[in-house]
Amino acid sequence: QVQLVESGGGLVQPGESLTISCAVSGIIFSMIDLGWYRQAPGKQRELVASITTIRSTKYADSVKGRFTISRDNTKKMVYLQMNSLKPEDTAVYYCNAVKPLPRKLDYWGQGTQVTVSS
């Protein structure tokens, strides 16, 4: 079965950096698009960053210039490097994989907590 497992979350102070990871198994990694979503208490889940099979990336306006998404097709890992963290970045971060064919399917990890607080 398809599994996505996030790791690397934790408590950091404003202005610090943190990198979270997602290990993907049970699917042909090179043929899926990937993304990081986050959900803060009382708010909707939002797309933070995405990366395609050809490494085209997109970012939410709120994180542009601070976050970087990357993928390692050999290790089957997806990363989100987060710099200059703000309290507003506090949320549970979820890894997402999209298999477009033959029918569009979405897979999700259980999430990892990122808390930015002084």
Side-chain angles (χ1 to χ4, degrees):
Q1 58 242 37
V2 178
Q3 292 188 54
L4 285 71
V5 181
E6 301 95 336
S7 62
L11 174 64
V12 296
Q13 295 184 344
E16 293 185 341
S17 298
L18 189 69
T19 298
I20 55 177
S21 305
C22 175
V24 182
S25 62
I27 197 168
I28 302 176
F29 189 86
S30 62
M31 298 184 68
I32 57 174
D33 293 334
L34 298 151
W36 284 98
Y37 289 72
R38 68 186 181 188
Q39 187 166 27
K43 299 182 68 177
Q44 293 273 107
R45 184 175 297 189
E46 64 173 344
L47 176 64
V48 177
S50 64
I51 184 167
T52 69
T53 55
I54 59 171
R55 290 182 167 83
S56 176
T57 59
K58 292 183 179 180
Y59 298 91
D61 288 340
S62 59
V63 307
K64 284 182 180 177
R66 299 189 297 121
F67 290 12
T68 302
I69 186 171
S70 61
R71 65 190 293 166
D72 186 329
N73 286 3
T74 299
K75 296 181 178 180
K76 300 177 69 174
M77 297 282 289
V78 184
Y79 307 95
L80 185 67
Q81 180 181 325
M82 301 178 286
N83 297 329
S84 302
L85 282 162
K86 305 174 181 179
E88 300 94 302
D89 296 318
T90 296
V92 177
Y93 284 72
Y94 297 91
C95 181
N96 166 250
V98 178
K99 182 180 179 294
L101 297 172
R103 301 175 69 180
K104 185 178 180 181
L105 295 173
D106 286 281
Y107 302 94
W108 297 89
Q110 293 184 358
T112 186
Q113 177 72 47
V114 174
T115 302
V116 185
S117 180
S118 60

